[in-house]
Amino acid sequence: MRRNGSQQSSAMAITAYFNKATMPTQQETLGLIVSEILKEGRSLSRLSICTKLLHRVESTENEEEIAHYNALIGLFFER
């Protein structure tokens, strides 16, 4: 006999777990981007970091991620 109730509760538990995932910190995100740029053999600059951030903004539909990336872009233009 098959138990659909346990399959549904397992799926709901997994979904709830991933929904609790938090955004990485600004330092973590910048660290990942810097690592990507260096692994690509490109020079590290404000332009290269902002370009990566803009690409991430364009490739996501998650409003929380967009706000996170836009906040990081804003850091580069503060004085």
Side-chain angles (χ1 to χ4, degrees):
M1 225 183 251
R2 210 170 190 187
R3 292 186 176 181
N4 287 336
S6 66
Q7 287 178 341
Q8 288 176 347
S9 63
S10 295
M12 289 173 60
I14 292 169
T15 301
Y17 173 79
F18 284 106
N19 285 338
K20 289 182 190 176
T22 59
M23 290 292 299
T25 65
Q26 290 181 336
Q27 291 85 1
E28 290 171 327
T29 301
L30 287 175
L32 290 171
I33 288 174
V34 167
S35 295
E36 288 175 15
I37 292 169
L38 294 175
K39 285 178 184 175
E40 293 169 358
R42 296 174 48 207
S43 62
L44 187 61
S45 67
R46 179 185 298 190
L47 177 63
S48 62
I49 294 171
C50 286
T51 302
K52 282 276 190 188
L53 287 167
L54 285 171
H55 177 42
R56 289 184 179 206
V57 167
E58 292 174 351
S59 66
T60 188
E61 294 180 9
N62 183 320
E63 293 298 322
E64 188 178 358
E65 287 182 27
I66 291 170
H68 178 71
Y69 297 138
N70 282 330
L72 288 170
I73 291 168
L75 292 175
F76 287 94
F77 297 101
E78 289 180 357
R79 289 203 182 243

